[in-house]
Amino acid sequence: MAEPKLMLVLGAAGFLGSVVVKQMTAGGYPMRVVTRGAEDWKDSSISTLRHKGVDVIVGDVTDEETLGRALNGVSAVVNMVGGFKESGDATFEDLHVRLVKNIVKLGQERGVQRLVHVSCLGAREDTESTCFLTKWKGEQIVSKSHLYWTIFRPSFLFGETRFPLFAYLKPLLTFKLFLPLIGSGTNTVAPVFVNDVASCVTQSIYSRETVSQSYDLVGPDEYSMVELLEQARKHLGLKGPTMNIPSKLSGQTFEMVARALPKALMNQDLASIMSENSCSSQDVMLKHFEVRNVALEQYFPRLIETL
């Protein structure tokens, strides 16, 4: 596969995207990013990126005109746009489906050859989660395209000082009376180090053998959801019991929890995120990619301190 002349990185300001940008910059990859403005960036300013040779386009990636302009002269796209929850006017359908359609359609029109797409474990057709369903739809669009595609399906990402799942579930984790566990909590998850996922992404760009392949990315340790959340509460010094709450339960217990927690948390997507399995074998990942294979346990106390 010929080396791409210019790579468009979408979702570059996100948790995974910021690490991928650092690795690609260090590796001398020719790169372009799209940002809505300086407020998108926490540890890298637009001027710093430009100083390092990154071409920066300011605009909204969901706008077709902006995306089309960003795709001009590009032969590879790394798409990492997505998240646990909808924000602003951008819905899951906008970010996980319509954007992917536009990347494929406009990319093919402009001569893009390579597409590395990051989805997530849990994405499947028969799910009640809008987030996971739209992620699955995005995967189907990518895999049916004529581009040289690769799909990555990571479990929940964690870094040295940040675990977005814990941040999202903070109101549940810190509920003083008890741990409100939506669902049974018996589902299994295998959180994966964000730098390891970024390494897989960057290593795949020039790799011919990763074309038309989908990879599950997981960490070395598996937890049941209830085990993971109870361990977090133990580190927080909270001793209340765990109470399982069926997502569709209506009653005094559910109403009490619903009044105490933000309304945004009491929804079907939260129930699905807390109930879906997010684990897989590491064999394929370790065979094809060089990673540090960092375990969540290594940073667990530090991650709790940031809540």
Side-chain angles (χ1 to χ4, degrees):
M1 190 187 309
E3 293 188 359
K5 296 179 181 178
L6 183 64
M7 305 175 195
L8 174 62
V9 180
L10 302 177
F15 182 48
L16 172 61
S18 60
V19 182
V20 169
V21 167
K22 287 180 181 178
Q23 292 188 5
M24 292 178 67
T25 301
Y29 290 73
M31 182 171 32
R32 173 182 291 159
V33 302
V34 179
T35 174
R36 290 170 296 180
E39 68 273 10
D40 278 359
W41 302 92
K42 295 182 179 179
D43 56 358
S44 296
S45 67
I46 291 177
S47 59
T48 299
L49 289 169
R50 285 176 171 158
H51 181 73
K52 293 180 178 180
V54 178
D55 183 25
V56 180
I57 291 180
V58 177
D60 188 341
V61 72
T62 61
D63 175 68
E64 285 192 41
E65 183 177 348
T66 299
L67 180 61
R69 181 159 51 94
L71 286 164
N72 286 332
V74 166
S75 58
V77 176
V78 178
N79 179 40
M80 297 171 285
V81 175
F84 284 144
K85 55 183 178 180
E86 298 172 327
S87 59
D89 295 329
T91 66
F92 288 136
E93 190 76 19
D94 292 330
L95 298 178
H96 301 162
V97 182
R98 293 191 184 95
L99 174 60
V100 178
K101 284 182 179 178
N102 286 335
I103 291 170
V104 170
K105 175 180 177 292
L106 298 176
Q108 290 178 163
E109 291 174 357
R110 286 161 174 75
V112 170
Q113 296 181 326
R114 184 81 170 104
L115 174 57
V116 178
H117 177 74
V118 179
S119 181
C120 65
L121 275 177
R124 57 188 178 85
E125 185 176 16
D126 57 337
T127 176
E128 295 183 354
S129 166
T130 305
C131 176
F132 288 156
L133 177 60
T134 53
K135 277 288 190 181
W136 177 84
K137 290 180 179 178
E139 290 184 16
Q140 306 314 301
I141 294 167
V142 171
S143 63
K144 293 175 183 177
S145 74
H146 298 298
L147 302 173
Y148 295 121
W149 58 266
T150 301
I151 294 172
F152 288 107
R153 293 166 44 85
S155 184
F156 297 111
L157 304 175
F158 70 91
E160 295 181 9
T161 60
R162 186 180 171 200
F163 192 3
L165 176 65
F166 277 177
Y168 182 44
L169 298 180
K170 181 178 178 179
L172 299 181
L173 288 173
T174 58
F175 193 66
K176 294 188 182 301
L177 298 179
F178 53 84
L179 169 62
L181 183 64
I182 302 177
S184 68
T186 59
N187 54 303
T188 306
V189 299
V192 59
F193 191 44
V194 65
N195 295 61
D196 285 342
V197 175
S199 294
C200 294
V201 170
T202 55
Q203 290 172 41
S204 73
I205 295 171
Y206 292 130
S207 174
R208 183 184 296 272
E209 68 177 8
T210 65
V211 172
S212 300
Q213 300 296 319
S214 179
Y215 297 96
D216 293 348
L217 304 180
V218 296
D221 296 330
E222 294 184 358
Y223 304 81
S224 68
M225 181 61 74
V226 64
E227 176 188 9
L228 183 64
L229 300 186
E230 287 181 344
Q231 187 171 334
R233 281 176 66 85
K234 182 178 179 180
H235 278 78
L236 287 168
L238 298 174
K239 299 181 179 179
T242 298
M243 183 170 293
N244 295 88
I245 304 174
S247 59
K248 297 181 180 179
L249 176 68
S250 60
Q252 290 183 349
T253 301
F254 185 83
E255 293 301 324
M256 180 178 66
V257 177
R259 285 197 300 268
L261 297 174
K263 291 183 179 179
L265 276 175
M266 306 306 291
N267 57 49
Q268 187 59 52
D269 273 303
L270 172 65
S272 296
I273 287 171
M274 294 185 70
S275 302
E276 295 279 2
N277 287 315
S278 185
C279 62
S280 184
S281 169
Q282 282 196 306
D283 293 347
V284 175
M285 178 184 79
L286 297 179
K287 177 182 178 181
H288 290 91
F289 303 101
E290 295 182 8
V291 296
R292 291 168 55 191
N293 204 22
V294 174
L296 175 64
E297 191 66 30
Q298 180 174 336
Y299 294 109
F300 206 102
R302 191 186 305 179
L303 294 170
I304 295 300
E305 290 174 3
T306 63
L307 288 176

